Amino acid sequence: MNTKLERILPRVQKPARYVGGEYNEIVKDKTQTDVNVAFCFPDTYEIGMSNVGMRILYAVMNDLPWCACERVFAPWGDMEDELRKARLPLWCLESQDPVRDFDMIAFSIGYEMCYTNILNVLDLSGIPLHSSEREGLHNIVFAGGTCAYNPEPLADFIDFFSLGEGEEITVEILECYRRAKQAGWDKQTFLREVAKIDGVYVPSFYEHVYNEDGTLKQIIPLGGAPKTARKRIMQNLDTARYPDKMIVPSTEIVHDRMNLEVMRGCIRGCRFCQAGFVYRPVRPRSVQTLHDQAIGLLEDSGCHEITLSSLSTSDYRYLPELMASLEDYCQEKKINLSVPSLRADNFSRELMLKLQKVRKSGLTFAPEAGTQRLRDAINKNVTEEEILETCKIAFSGGWSNVKLYFMLGLPTETDEDVLGIADLVYKILKTWRENASNKKRGLRIHVATAFFVPKPFTPFQWEQQITPEEYTRRQRLLKDAMLSKSVEYNWHAPDLSQLEAVLARGDRRLCRVIETAWRRGAKLDGWLEYFDYKLWMQALRDCGIDPAFYTTRGYAEDEVLPWDSIDVGVTKRFFLRERERAYRSEITPDCRAGCAGCGANRLLEGGVCDA
Amino acid sequence: MPRMRFSKTGNAVWISHLDLMRALQRGFRRAGVLLKHSQGFTPHPVLSIALPLSVGVSSDYEIADFELDAPTDLAALPARLNAALPKGIEILECYEDGEKLKHLKWLEARLTLIYDAGVPAQAADQIRTLFARPSLEVEKHGKNGPVTVDILPMLHAYSVTQPDETTLALTATVSAQNPTLNPLLLLTAIEAELPACKPDFTRCHRIQIMNEAFHAFR
Ligand code: SF4
């Protein structure tokens, strides 16, 4: 081992996350490969290694015999300090070679609050931050992940974006780079060629022109670039690459278990939820494929826990069959099978009561809003009756713990809706009194509220975010209405969500803000230990940017939106229609009940969703 | 109860005790050998490691006891497990009828003291003189804050050699339990009492553990 590194490791927290060597890690001889990629999830190892997409693409890239893909994560602050002190560049885990020695640096970006980590990782690697400062083919920086759907706040730093599901496009990108390297192209030629791949978006090929009031006037594609770049999807999940051997971290990570991806996309269409729209269309995996994957992964990894993951797993059409097919194996091998994101309907209710894990953590519901009117407005199809019925059965079965998640500041929300939350909580309390089989244990109801963040590619993408002050007022209003000792109320501070809203709907002018914030010390902003609101506000002021422009102002329906160059499949027309329905508190049935015409089916060969 | 002896070297030294437990449990599953599980609401596999190592310390002599769900050929187990474990953890042998853990008494460790600018003059002698004192009080972190202990009664034997210009090797046999002396406290003593002999970096390695009669613990 590098002796400098050996001396640092005893001084940092959880050193195991910096040395690699885990079971199933892939180490290649990089003198024998043509293209070497440093693959970075710009957050800590524990978060990054829990990401399924990262694991799929690690396999996809390393499947190519001529490519070596190694991992890198954002170091925690103590490690960063040590690196800077020792003047050590950031390295990749597999070989412990510096990131800057790799041909390409690929980022997987899942949420806005890790934008500064991207800059920090580049800087710690000794790689220039700006795309324009990186000349030649060495250290091409590209990015994918959910945040790539509004790539503009990162436009200055990332050479190009890869949109949508990466199994195929990543290979095409690497093949293009390989050709570029062999032919000795310059960077511009490479970017022009790579832009021809479906799903690649090169920000420097688009000019953004602003109106005097600061809104976008026009996005001009340059040099023949297409008006929009459309995301990629996998047509068939049964044949899509899913790793049969996954790295098993030697240190505990956030989701320390195997993951089965039962489907992609969500049939529900909750109007605030970006994931619900950008991952459309809905595509299930077959029971047979999942069954084989589950057993293969469990045997190979030695994990004793497996999760059936998706945006809404109880909507996986073949869930009963899948559970049945795994039941005996799990029983015999003492495997814990967990099903997250259950709903409160009949089927889930039975499942919930069956899965013993639930007993530990209690019942969890995410009604998101307190009244039926507002739940209809956001298209969250869960009713009070369903929740109370599930509670009733659970309470009589001995449960005594309920968690409820809500949002405050949703479009059209009134004080009545806020107080509706307290009302629902009170009804749950009453249900417990009437049905609890064991009252001695007492009831615990955990209520949590988050601050609504309008996101691109949702029906609420134009909405105003309420001010942090107003959020705080509503949150106090709710607190004062829930006086029972059985209720524990936790709320998110509004600061982070306000900034998240700025970054989520931001345009290119935010590149400078992100850089300024980073230069002032911002990093690991998703972590309470590090997030510094004042610093960000200062950075915005330094750049002459008013956060209100991106938050409380709201966007006009006819305004050019920064993310208009990106096509996620779902159309703007559909979002507008859904927005109007929201104002009328009208629900839209889920895809299984009937196609609502969102447009995502156009991405499918055949054009019909298998919802 | 079957017992295994294993080593922990290379980058695996950064795996903490709890993570090592998890890694071993998974190793068993990967090897297709199911550990017996405890009864109760949250059953957990029966596996325990004697004398947990500090993070960063390597070892050639770790002991873990475990129980299997079904009889398995213990002689063949190390090879099966080794194919299934992360780099740096190697099962050396598995056997039945190990000594009772209460007979585990001594621990032999090697501290490698590294001096970037060369070993200070007479450092080895100074260390020998230090350990020849009638008593040597060292401050260590106890459960309720720092406490002072005399380490010498727990130091059975030691030797100091200088394999090269920048390295001192301090090999020591210390009491492993009742009472326990963490060999790294020898370094603490050197740093506190002989500031001129403070190394730039120290590696710690567990060579073996022994019973009351100073035989390798089985
Ligand atoms: S096209 Fe229709 S069925 Fe397919 S995702 Fe959109 S609304 Fe659902």
Side-chain angles (χ1 to χ4, degrees), chain A residues 266-267 280-282 570 574 590-592 594-602 604 608-609 611:
Chain A
C266 180
I267 62 169
R280 282 184 173 194
V282 183
V570 182
F574 174 77
D590 65 61
C591 298
R592 200 158 293 156
C595 173
C598 79
N601 59 317
R602 294 172 305 142
L604 287 170
V608 185
C609 294

Side-chain angles (χ1 to χ4, degrees), chain B residues 112-192:
Chain B
T112 308
L113 285 59
I114 300 166
Y115 301 88
D116 293 338
V119 177
Q122 263 89 55
D125 283 341
Q126 288 188 51
I127 291 172
R128 286 183 200 113
T129 315
L130 177 69
F131 293 147
R133 287 187 191 174
S135 74
L136 183 49
E137 301 276 326
V138 178
E139 194 171 281
K140 70 166 192 177
H141 299 288
K143 280 199 188 82
N144 310 309
V147 287
T148 314
V149 283
D150 180 6
I151 59 169
L152 292 185
M154 294 179 276
L155 175 61
H156 170 74
Y158 70 93
S159 73
V160 189
T161 57
Q162 185 173 341
D164 60 50
E165 259 141 60
T166 57
T167 313
L168 277 186
L170 166 61
T171 306
T173 302
V174 300
S175 177
Q177 55 179 4
N178 305 322
T180 304
L181 176 62
N182 182 338
L184 282 167
L185 277 188
L186 300 174
L187 175 67
T188 312
I190 294 169
E191 290 179 344

